[in-house]
Amino acid sequence: MAMEKAEQDRLKMEVAERALALVKPGMMVGLGSGSTATMWIRLLGEKVQRGELKLGGAIASSEDSERLGRSYGIPFTNFEETKSLDLTVDGADEVAPGLALGFALIKGGGGKLLREKIVASASKRFVVVVDESKVVEKLGRFPLPVEVIPMAEPLVRRELEGIGFTPKVRGNKDGSQYITDEGNLILDCSGVMIEDPAAMAKKLDGIVGVVEHGLFLGYAEMVLIAGEGGVRERGR
Ligand code: 5RP
């Protein structure tokens, strides 16, 4: 069901506040991307700025999130200095619970899926923050973002059409192509309800020229869902 933007923003803020409580002094944290993760980064940053929380360090899943974090004085590190992160908080475009492999997510609506998956894979706890409009029985209503090497885009597009998708190169408002932080294109793939996310991920992983796709399977340890009755917590 469609949700008013103001109501959705209120829920996003509520869930961001809940996720703030998970951050403890000294933690190495991963900063997600998107509007919900941004609310969380702002709350976290304000706490750091007020001197109420000292973090061990942070790694962001996008240049935007890193810029925002730095503006509050959050200390940044990298995977040379830091082997793993204690906690990452990130949003999602769709969340399907209850699969054998844990939560299945579609991410990448903001185009940051590659770094988001890298950060998620290096996190001991990957916590997803969503409002209840994002929770689905089956993934696929939200077009699946697939990041591709520009030169391979026509080849990858045909492969994705062969699977049944209708892929569309993501554009910016000014008509130019959207370019990821890593210099690649995004194909937004609609038209397929994903019955078996693991089998789909395997197919996508097998296409040469695909850098990464927005299926995040088994990464989320916990999903915080904001709805009418408050924030619900669902574990793996
Ligand atoms: C960016 C993402 C975002 O986390 C996802 O699109 C959700 O964003 P929002 O919180 O704005 O709804 O995956 O690549």
Side-chain angles (χ1 to χ4, degrees), residues 10-224:
R10 187 185 66 77
L11 295 178
K12 285 178 179 181
M13 182 52 97
E14 221 175 288
V15 78
E17 277 164 0
R18 174 70 80 88
L20 184 65
L22 301 174
V23 187
K24 305 292 176 222
M27 271 187 169
M28 307 299 289
V29 294
L31 311 184
S33 301
S35 57
T36 322
T38 293
M39 288 182 194
W40 176 76
I41 296 168
R42 286 189 197 284
L43 293 172
L44 185 66
E46 283 162 8
K47 219 170 163 182
V48 169
Q49 207 167 43
R50 289 195 300 267
E52 292 169 14
L53 177 70
K54 202 167 175 340
L55 294 171
I59 295 183
S61 64
S62 64
E63 289 176 2
D64 291 342
S65 295
E66 177 160 345
R67 210 173 299 120
L68 180 64
R70 283 191 189 281
S71 75
Y72 287 102
I74 290 178
F76 279 84
T77 179
N78 55 50
F79 289 121
E80 193 65 57
E81 295 170 354
T82 303
K83 283 203 202 101
S84 65
L85 298 165
D86 296 304
L87 169 75
T88 291
V89 174
D90 203 350
D93 301 298
E94 281 188 348
V95 177
L99 299 172
L101 40 71
F103 294 101
L105 319 174
I106 287 184
K107 283 186 52 55
K112 316 298 182 191
L113 61 122
L114 174 57
R115 290 196 191 183
E116 285 174 334
K117 202 176 272 190
I118 294 168
V119 169
S121 74
S123 301
K124 292 179 196 149
R125 299 189 75 192
F126 182 60
V127 173
V128 175
V129 282
V130 289
D131 66 76
E132 62 190 1
S133 71
K134 308 281 187 70
V135 181
V136 298
E137 285 289 308
K138 203 181 283 177
L139 300 175
R141 212 163 12 103
F142 189 93
L144 178 66
V146 176
E147 182 160 344
V148 298
I149 297 284
M151 175 219 183
E153 184 275 318
L155 298 173
V156 173
R157 182 165 22 97
R158 281 179 222 125
E159 292 277 346
L160 293 168
E161 284 166 354
I163 298 175
F165 285 114
T166 303
K168 195 166 174 281
V169 177
R170 188 175 297 185
N172 294 313
K173 283 199 183 100
D174 64 4
S176 60
Q177 289 180 329
Y178 176 86
I179 305 292
T180 69
D181 283 347
E182 308 301 329
N184 298 313
L185 298 174
I186 300 261
L187 284 167
D188 288 307
C189 300
S190 54
V192 175
M193 291 309 287
I194 302 169
E195 302 291 337
D196 184 342
M200 180 61 79
K202 202 166 169 204
K203 270 189 205 168
L204 298 173
D205 287 335
I207 302 175
V208 177
V210 168
V211 181
E212 198 44 86
H213 53 78
L215 284 174
F216 282 52
L217 310 181
Y219 287 108
E221 180 211 83
M222 186 200 282
V223 181
L224 297 174

